[in-house]
Amino acid sequence: MNIFRFAGDMTHLISILVLLLKVYATKSCSGISLKTQELYGIVFLARYLDLFTDFISVYNTVMKLVFIGSSLAIVWCMRFHRVVKRSYDRDVDTFRHYFLVGGCFLLALFVHEKFSFREVFWAFSIYLEAVAILPQLILLQRSGNVDNLTGQYVLFLGAYRGFYILNWIYRYFTEDQFSRWISCVSGLVQTALYADFFYYYFISWKNNAKLKLPA
């Protein structure tokens, strides 16, 4: 493991902790897209099919369990918690995310590194993760106002993807057998999606004002 991957894992973990803090401490999921959280749940379930068959390290196994468990816990809380679910912005979170699932799965069937059950689902998870943030960004754009915890959640999530791009670049130049070009391309797509959000987040921080996205 290199420092870029470790930093990526830690910023991803922080983003999850920030989101859990918002949901469980404030008993509110206002400003959070259930569609995005469901997509992330699908991403991790599809990616970690090897969880109980291939052991790499304790760290690797724990992180997989954390990502799967936290994603499913957030989805459950937003759907079924008697207090939290009342704050869900159902009328704003209307992105048809099942189109993303279907489109990414079809793409994975045709564009993959090896045609096997696990590799196709791995490619599917990579493609889906690249666009999973879309419902969240659209929800924030529609609502206009973004509270600090939600803004920090998206910020750390973007930092996680940025560190992983550096990880893939580092591995490309240091590992002879590294060929995960699909990851690199999807990472660049995600970077483009986050760039606009980061700009407005920086402006709000600089002016010590509440984050507002253009309608």
Side-chain angles (χ1 to χ4, degrees), residues 12-215:
H12 191 185
L13 189 58
I14 291 173
S15 74
I16 292 172
L17 292 176
V18 168
L19 186 56
L20 289 173
L21 175 65
K22 173 181 173 62
V23 172
Y24 285 97
T26 67
K27 295 296 187 292
S28 171
C29 61
S30 177
I32 300 298
S33 169
L34 174 61
K35 306 296 178 63
T36 284
Q37 298 309 312
E38 289 176 339
L39 291 177
Y40 277 122
I42 295 172
V43 164
F44 297 130
L45 287 172
R47 182 173 303 168
Y48 301 139
L49 293 174
D50 62 344
L51 183 60
F52 299 107
T53 58
D54 298 337
F55 178 78
I56 299 175
S57 67
V58 173
Y59 173 86
N60 185 271
T61 300
V62 169
M63 294 304 287
K64 289 178 180 180
L65 290 172
V66 167
F67 293 148
I68 293 174
S70 59
S71 297
L72 297 181
I74 292 168
V75 170
W76 180 89
C77 200
M78 293 181 68
R79 279 192 172 276
F80 302 111
H81 193 285
R82 61 186 182 86
V83 177
V84 175
K85 69 178 183 180
R86 297 174 188 170
S87 60
Y88 172 48
D89 304 321
R90 190 180 304 275
D91 294 334
V92 182
D93 191 23
T94 58
F95 191 97
R96 297 178 181 178
H97 61 325
Y98 46 83
F99 284 121
L100 295 178
V101 176
C104 289
F105 187 73
L106 285 175
L107 181 61
L109 287 176
F110 293 100
V111 184
H112 45 261
E113 295 186 2
K114 180 182 178 182
F115 188 69
S116 67
F117 180 83
R118 187 177 296 178
E119 284 296 317
V120 167
F121 272 88
W122 180 85
F124 164 65
S125 75
I126 294 296
Y127 297 142
L128 189 60
E129 188 177 22
V131 295
I133 196 64
L134 274 176
Q136 179 66 62
L137 295 180
I138 290 175
L139 184 151
L140 295 179
Q141 186 179 49
R142 288 175 177 173
S143 62
N145 294 322
V146 185
D147 63 72
N148 287 333
L149 286 177
T150 302
Q152 290 170 12
Y153 162 67
V154 179
L155 181 69
F156 281 113
L157 203 59
Y160 144 64
R161 298 313 299 166
F163 279 121
Y164 256 68
I165 290 177
L166 295 176
N167 162 60
W168 293 322
I169 294 174
Y170 175 83
R171 293 182 64 187
Y172 176 80
F173 287 105
T174 59
E175 298 179 18
D176 293 336
Q177 302 300 320
F178 183 74
S179 62
R180 293 295 195 182
W181 58 270
I182 289 177
S183 298
C184 298
V185 173
S186 68
L188 292 174
V189 171
Q190 285 179 283
T191 301
L193 292 176
Y194 283 111
D196 190 57
F197 176 85
F198 286 166
Y199 169 76
Y200 288 102
Y201 189 91
F202 174 76
I203 294 297
S204 67
W205 173 80
K206 182 179 179 181
N207 297 328
N208 196 26
K210 192 171 184 179
L211 175 62
K212 286 189 175 183
L213 298 176

